[in-house]
Amino acid sequence: MPDPAPQPAQPASRASRRRRATSGVAATVVAGRRRLLLALLAGCLSLGAAGYAWLFGDLPAVDGLAAPGPFQSSRILDRNGHLLYDLVDPQLGQRTLLPLAAVPRALRDATISTEDANFYSHPGVDGWGLLRALGTNLQGGQGLAGGSTITQQ
């Protein structure tokens, strides 16, 4: 059977032309909405990055922070030096280093008389105190005795 003869193309109907035109407009509107959404997203990300830099830009790096030392509690301050938070060890309590001049004379004298009564009369090592502690420990008394001075501690 021979192939049927090709038929001439019929002009598109008015409805099909309108459908093609409206689908093109819809595609343009969808593409425009996508571009607008991407632009809004980029703007929000930019504002977020700028806000982060403004809030946290002048804070020091955590690995660059120096520990206050083993005898002080940690304190967190704001950028103006105002106390935000005080980290206190529950076992050791609040600890703050003071210069010796800030410690009352009566407290210094009481500490010295309790810990090392001969503090002002030996060069930093109390030989008699060490011998006394050695004798006490060898005899096996109630507990161990120590002979260290304030200087040795």
Side-chain angles (χ1 to χ4, degrees):
M1 183 166 189
D3 285 334
Q7 296 186 0
Q10 295 183 3
S13 69
R14 188 173 193 184
S16 69
R17 282 193 307 256
R18 187 176 296 141
R19 259 184 265 138
R20 262 189 258 137
T22 56
S23 68
V25 169
T28 304
V29 169
V30 169
R33 286 182 181 168
R34 283 185 184 152
R35 278 190 234 113
L36 179 63
L37 182 61
L38 287 174
L40 286 174
L41 181 62
C44 287
L45 288 174
S46 297
L47 283 174
Y52 183 86
W54 179 75
L55 283 173
F56 304 113
D58 60 346
L59 292 177
V62 174
D63 54 357
L65 294 175
F71 301 111
Q72 285 198 77
S73 300
S74 296
R75 302 178 75 186
I76 299 174
L77 308 175
D78 69 2
R79 66 183 77 197
N80 299 318
H82 298 106
L83 180 66
L84 293 176
Y85 196 78
D86 212 353
L87 301 170
V88 178
D89 186 337
Q91 302 298 321
L92 301 174
Q94 177 73 38
R95 299 165 310 196
T96 303
L97 288 179
L98 295 175
L100 188 58
V103 179
R105 179 71 186 190
L107 179 60
R108 286 185 272 164
D109 291 342
T111 302
I112 289 172
S113 68
T114 303
E115 292 293 323
D116 187 3
N118 300 321
F119 179 74
Y120 293 108
S121 63
H122 60 70
V125 176
D126 185 4
W128 290 113
L130 289 173
L131 288 175
R132 178 192 45 78
L134 179 64
T136 303
N137 291 337
L138 288 176
Q139 288 178 0
Q142 298 258 342
L144 296 178
S148 64
T149 62
I150 290 176
T151 309
Q152 291 173 311
Q153 293 175 19

